[in-house]
């Protein structure tokens, strides 16, 4: 039961996150417009008038109003002044370096093994007793 409730809450959160209620309301508005316009105008003209956006219904107007309010509430993007543009154009970007915690330690084992390698035999050969 707990697993089912968790899964249901995740589905509701994902549906809300991808603006599911707005999309569902828009689809319902289009279906309602088609249902009202098909008997009067025919299928082809009803589809054209519904999806052209020239004759929106009350539901479509409320959705557009909601979207406009939502965009207005979002954080405004700061505008650049001519001085800021000049400074950003002449200044160099900062050199990005990774933090020291991500650097791998230098392995000295490889160097020791390379230094121990002798390409020639020692002269005179070693004595084995």
């Amino acid at each position: 039961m707990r697993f089912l409730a968790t899964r249901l809450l995740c589905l509701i959160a994902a549906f809300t996150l991808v603006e599911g209620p707005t999309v569902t309301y828009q689809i319902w508005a289009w279906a309602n417009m088609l249902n009202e316009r098909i008997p009067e105008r025919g299928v082809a003209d009803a589809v054209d008038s519904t999806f052209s956006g020239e004759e929106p219904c009350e539901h479509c107007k409320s959705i557009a109003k909601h979207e406009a309010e939502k965009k207005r509430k979002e954080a405004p993007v700061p505008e650049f002044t001519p001085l800021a543009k000049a400074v950003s154009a002449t200044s160099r970007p900062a050199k990005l370096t990774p933090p020291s915690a991500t650097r791998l330690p230098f392995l000295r084992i490889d160097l020791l093994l390379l230094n121990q390698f002798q390409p020639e035999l020692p002269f005179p050969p070693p004595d084995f007793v």
Side-chain angles (χ1 to χ4, degrees):
M1 181 67 185
R2 184 174 153 199
F3 179 72
L4 181 65
T6 306
R7 188 175 271 187
L8 182 64
L9 284 175
C10 286
L11 284 173
I12 291 171
F15 183 73
T16 306
L17 194 65
V18 296
E19 298 185 17
T22 306
V23 171
T24 305
Y25 188 49
Q26 182 67 58
I27 292 171
W28 179 78
W30 285 333
N32 196 16
M33 288 169 65
L34 286 172
N35 189 31
E36 291 174 358
R37 293 178 183 179
I38 285 177
E40 299 169 1
R41 303 179 185 183
V43 176
D45 191 32
V47 170
D48 287 341
S49 67
T50 299
F51 296 112
S52 67
E54 295 172 2
E55 303 174 34
C57 66
E58 294 300 318
H59 302 294
C60 294
K61 290 177 184 175
S62 67
I63 292 169
K65 182 180 174 184
H66 174 71
E67 290 296 321
E69 287 177 9
K70 191 168 141 184
K71 285 184 179 179
R72 186 179 52 85
K73 287 181 182 179
E74 289 179 357
V77 178
E79 295 182 16
F80 287 107
T81 61
L83 178 62
K85 287 181 182 177
V87 169
S88 64
T90 59
S91 62
R92 291 189 203 166
K95 182 179 179 183
L96 298 176
T97 56
S100 60
T102 60
R103 293 186 183 152
L104 296 174
F106 183 74
L107 298 177
R108 245 180 111 75
I109 298 169
D110 296 337
L111 290 178
L112 291 175
L113 293 176
L114 289 175
N115 289 339
Q116 291 174 352
F117 178 74
Q118 296 177 351
E120 300 176 0
L121 292 174
F123 188 78
D127 294 333
F128 292 104
V129 180

